[in-house]
Amino acid sequence: MSDMVEAYPTPQAGNNEAGTVQRLTAGPLSVELEDGNLRAVRWHGKEAIRAISYLVRDANWGNHALAISGLSIKETRADFSVRYRAECKSDSAGLAIDVHISGSAGGKLVFDAEAVPNGDFVTNRCGFCILHPIVGVAGQPVVVEHTDGCREEAHFPDVIAPAQPFFDLRAITHEIAPGMTAQCRMDGDTFEMEDQRNWSDASYKTYVRPLALPWPYTLPEGVPVRQTITVIFSGEPDIVQTHAQRDEVVNLSTVARAGRNPDFGLGVRPEDLADTLDNIDQLRAIAPQHLILAFNPLAGHSVSALEGYARLLSAYPAAATLEYVLACEQSPRVELTHLARRVRDAGLGLSAIAVSPAPDLRSTPPGSAWPDCPALDEVYAAAREAFPDLLLGGGMFSYFTELNRKRPPLDRLDFITHTTSPLVHAADDRSVMETLEALPFITASVRAFAGDMRYRIGPSSIGMRSNPYGASLSANPDRRRMTMTADDPRQPTDFAAAWMVGYAAATADASLDVLSLGSLTGPFGVLEAGSPNPAFKAAQWISSLAGRDAVHIESSDPSRVLAVGGGDTVLVANITPDKVRVIVDGATAIELGPYGIAKHRLEGVS
């Protein structure tokens, strides 16, 4: 390894806990079977469907864990067949699902499932989700067949659609490569599509049961629910493509780019203040330029939190943004004037304030009635009056989804903000890393309506900071990979470090003002019991790029390696569980272990 490269961890290290994946083929058709569901459905080596999954959601939109038994797999050169039973339990009943999957070399894939509850089973969704990929698909033509039999010629959304682009679906047909098509048919219920890039998922999702219907709903005891997904492929390519071999090198090409890298920020919550102050030297070692200070009176945050923030900024002077949730118990003017007085009395010196009304912490699905909420014009006018010397931000303290559905009056603001989390719909390693693929679409969509105004993202992390879609976040005492939780088991591992560097790389072209990732302590922290975890190194390195001349980096395989650069430094992330060899500008070789990161100094750059 070159003396100009610092790699972390060593290339031999790794702590991946991915589930077992079995690749099944039938002639030119191939699929990956993982935990009873299908991924990477390919025809002649070209990905046509990202995933076909049977999911059971609870009343908080969390996924029930499905226990699989009786798994039987048969495979020949011409076909394959999979059978199993999956079971789960809610507080009131159990659900048994009998599954049969079959594929043939002639180009037909069938995924059939019949679910029977042994009692009245309450769920927000029970059935199939089909994921279409986004790279090479966004903006492309699609033929939609509706439940009444009519056909519509349309396009997959390019800019992210805030509401569902297609309703009442029976089939979706699209070109997967010149001369090759895939038709996906859905029987057994009414399906609709949402643009999952809203939640940073790397897919368009077609799912069962329209959101306009009430949820949660009940599956009656003993009544079977059967659904079938059938994918029909046609055509063949001029040149047969094969899935990339894992021992191939990944090439990175660097090009100077106009602009500078964003400042780096960390989030701070009142409940983490004491630990943050106890580890102030570690904060100095990361040297973030910004701190995002959460303050929500409805969560019990009081003047003591503002005083604690003042002590923090005294120990570590930095630009600070107060992220204030407007309780909406009095007029915006009264509440914000009161806040300004409390901030002054606490001696808290801020550089910016971002304001969100409390009703906007909850998600409002398309077609639903919006909750009572003060007009944003009134909210931002009151904030400007109360804090005339601070930058004023708006948007959402939750996720891009909510920002896309309720866009603020930009003429009232100095910057726009939102966060992301990869744990809304799936929690396996592969899906979490795939969310990085969606970030350029998110930032481009914000730029489409916000123009060149200041744009801040974060604090984003793997774990969810809030659950706008249910009553609460899910507890995770066993530290499982699960959706809708703040406590993700990967946070103290190499995985989180690679995800953070990949996040910086995926947002590098957005001209962000500030990028905030995680926090020093707490569930999103880069410290574990006061000691640096791998994400600490990632935060330190990303922070070191702040304000430096940006370097644009092209990866020959962004599904495996992402990189971000500034000045004479490039940060590289292996976002896979396999070792990888990286070549930078045709010269320097970097060996990275599973989910490894590296810092490389460019030759000839001062």
Side-chain angles (χ1 to χ4, degrees):
M1 186 177 301
S2 168
D3 292 339
M4 302 174 67
V5 176
E6 180 182 352
Y8 187 90
T10 60
Q12 290 74 35
N15 48 23
N16 177 50
E17 299 179 13
T20 301
V21 177
Q22 183 167 351
R23 192 165 183 261
L24 305 175
T25 61
L29 172 64
S30 69
V31 303
E32 294 177 11
L33 179 68
E34 182 178 11
D35 296 329
N37 292 316
L38 298 181
R39 305 187 79 141
V41 178
R42 290 184 167 90
W43 179 247
H44 287 285
K46 179 68 176 179
E47 184 183 38
I49 304 292
R50 175 140 289 181
I52 305 174
S53 303
Y54 193 94
L55 304 176
V56 183
R57 293 281 200 173
D58 62 25
N60 262 345
W61 288 104
N63 282 328
H64 282 291
L66 299 180
I68 293 176
S69 61
L71 177 64
S72 170
I73 301 174
K74 298 179 181 179
E75 185 178 12
T76 70
R77 291 185 178 181
D79 55 36
F80 58 79
S81 175
V82 179
R83 292 184 183 274
Y84 64 86
R85 168 167 280 200
E87 296 177 282
C88 67
K89 293 181 179 180
S90 68
D91 292 336
S92 58
L95 190 70
I97 308 119
D98 289 314
V99 172
H100 181 211
I101 301 170
S102 63
S104 67
K108 184 177 182 179
L109 176 67
V110 180
F111 196 151
D112 181 81
E114 183 175 85
V116 181
N118 64 11
D120 288 347
F121 191 92
V122 177
T123 179
N124 276 4
R125 176 176 296 149
C126 178
F128 281 109
C129 289
I130 303 99
L131 306 184
H132 284 77
I134 56 176
V135 174
V137 175
Q140 297 304 303
V142 61
V143 177
V144 172
E145 180 182 332
H146 297 283
T147 52
D148 60 3
C150 72
R151 290 162 60 89
E152 173 190 359
E153 293 188 1
H155 290 78
F156 286 101
D158 189 4
V159 172
I160 299 175
Q164 299 95 319
F166 305 121
F167 296 89
D168 300 322
L169 294 175
R170 182 63 65 226
I172 301 169
T173 304
H174 80 291
E175 186 178 69
I176 60 177
M180 297 195 300
T181 62
Q183 182 191 74
C184 182
R185 297 195 63 85
M186 300 146 284
D187 294 298
D189 207 325
T190 299
F191 288 73
E192 64 189 25
M193 178 185 283
E194 66 189 12
D195 194 337
Q196 271 207 137
R197 297 175 299 172
N198 274 295
W199 295 271
S200 76
D201 297 71
S203 56
Y204 301 99
K205 181 175 77 176
T206 302
Y207 55 90
V208 73
R209 188 174 168 91
L211 284 177
L213 296 177
W215 43 267
Y217 60 99
T218 300
L219 303 179
E221 178 181 3
V223 178
V225 178
R226 184 176 183 181
Q227 298 168 22
T228 306
I229 305 302
T230 305
V231 185
I232 304 295
F233 299 95
S234 63
E236 56 184 50
D238 294 334
I239 301 175
V240 176
Q241 300 181 9
T242 59
H243 186 46
Q245 296 297 312
R246 288 298 178 184
D247 58 354
E248 291 177 353
V249 301
V250 176
N251 292 286
L252 299 179
S253 302
T254 63
V255 181
R257 187 188 63 199
R260 294 182 177 274
N261 286 316
D263 285 347
F264 179 71
L266 291 173
V268 187
R269 307 180 307 164
E271 47 267 55
D272 300 326
L273 255 172
D275 283 345
T276 301
L277 286 164
D278 286 345
N279 291 279
I280 200 70
D281 287 339
Q282 302 281 30
L283 184 64
R284 295 188 182 109
I286 296 173
Q289 294 76 42
H290 276 256
L291 297 176
I292 313 299
L293 312 176
F295 190 78
N296 180 0
L298 298 178
H301 299 169
S302 65
V303 68
S304 63
L306 299 177
E307 292 168 347
Y309 288 147
R311 291 194 298 274
L312 175 61
L313 293 179
S314 177
Y316 181 77
T321 297
L322 188 68
E323 205 179 53
Y324 176 65
V325 175
L326 190 74
C328 300
E329 295 172 342
Q330 303 180 72
S331 72
R333 188 172 186 274
V334 168
E335 290 189 12
L336 282 156
T337 300
H338 181 55
L339 174 68
R341 183 169 58 253
R342 297 170 81 185
V343 167
R344 287 194 302 271
D345 290 347
L348 177 58
L350 299 170
S351 61
I353 184 169
V355 182
S356 175
D360 284 349
L361 298 181
R362 310 297 302 166
S363 181
T364 302
S368 303
W370 285 89
D372 290 337
C373 182
L376 291 181
D377 278 321
E378 180 186 0
V379 169
Y380 297 145
R384 186 74 75 184
E385 180 181 349
F387 297 93
D389 299 325
L390 300 185
L391 292 176
L392 174 62
M396 290 289 172
F397 296 165
S398 54
Y399 310 117
F400 169 77
T401 317
E402 286 65 55
L403 173 65
N404 205 22
R405 291 174 176 172
K406 185 177 182 180
R407 301 172 183 178
L410 301 179
D411 58 340
R412 295 284 190 173
L413 300 173
D414 297 307
F415 64 90
I416 194 167
T417 185
H418 66 85
T419 73
T420 70
S421 169
L423 297 186
V424 176
H425 294 118
D428 61 281
D429 290 355
R430 186 169 174 177
S431 294
V432 169
M433 278 301 183
E434 284 178 347
T435 61
L436 301 177
E437 195 177 292
L439 294 177
F441 292 96
I442 286 177
T443 57
S445 297
V446 171
R447 286 296 179 203
F449 67 77
D452 60 358
M453 80 175 303
R454 288 187 178 105
Y455 177 17
R456 300 180 176 186
I457 292 180
S460 296
S461 55
I462 297 177
M464 291 180 68
R465 68 199 309 243
S466 63
N467 181 5
Y469 318 110
S472 63
L473 289 164
S474 298
N476 191 12
D478 297 326
R479 302 286 284 171
R480 297 186 295 114
R481 286 158 165 77
M482 62 182 290
T483 59
M484 303 291 180
T485 185
D487 299 308
D488 189 85
R490 287 159 293 207
Q491 182 59 34
T493 71
D494 304 327
F495 185 99
W499 185 83
M500 287 175 67
V501 173
Y503 199 111
T507 56
D509 291 334
S511 299
L512 296 179
D513 181 39
V514 180
L515 172 63
S516 299
L517 297 174
S519 61
L520 185 69
T521 62
F524 318 123
V526 298
L527 297 180
E528 187 79 1
S531 298
N533 59 39
F536 183 95
K537 181 67 70 175
Q540 193 175 45
W541 286 357
I542 297 169
S543 180
S544 72
L545 297 184
R548 303 180 74 178
D549 291 337
V551 176
H552 179 73
I553 303 172
E554 292 286 347
S555 172
S556 65
D557 191 349
S559 68
R560 297 169 63 198
V561 173
L562 292 172
V564 60
D568 64 349
T569 302
V570 173
L571 307 184
V572 185
N574 173 11
I575 58 174
T576 77
D578 306 303
K579 290 190 290 187
V580 67
R581 181 178 172 85
V582 181
I583 304 295
V584 182
D585 288 335
T588 305
I590 303 172
E591 306 287 343
L592 286 175
Y595 301 121
I597 61 174
K599 181 169 65 172
H600 166 62
R601 188 171 67 82
L602 297 172
E603 297 186 51
V605 178
S606 59

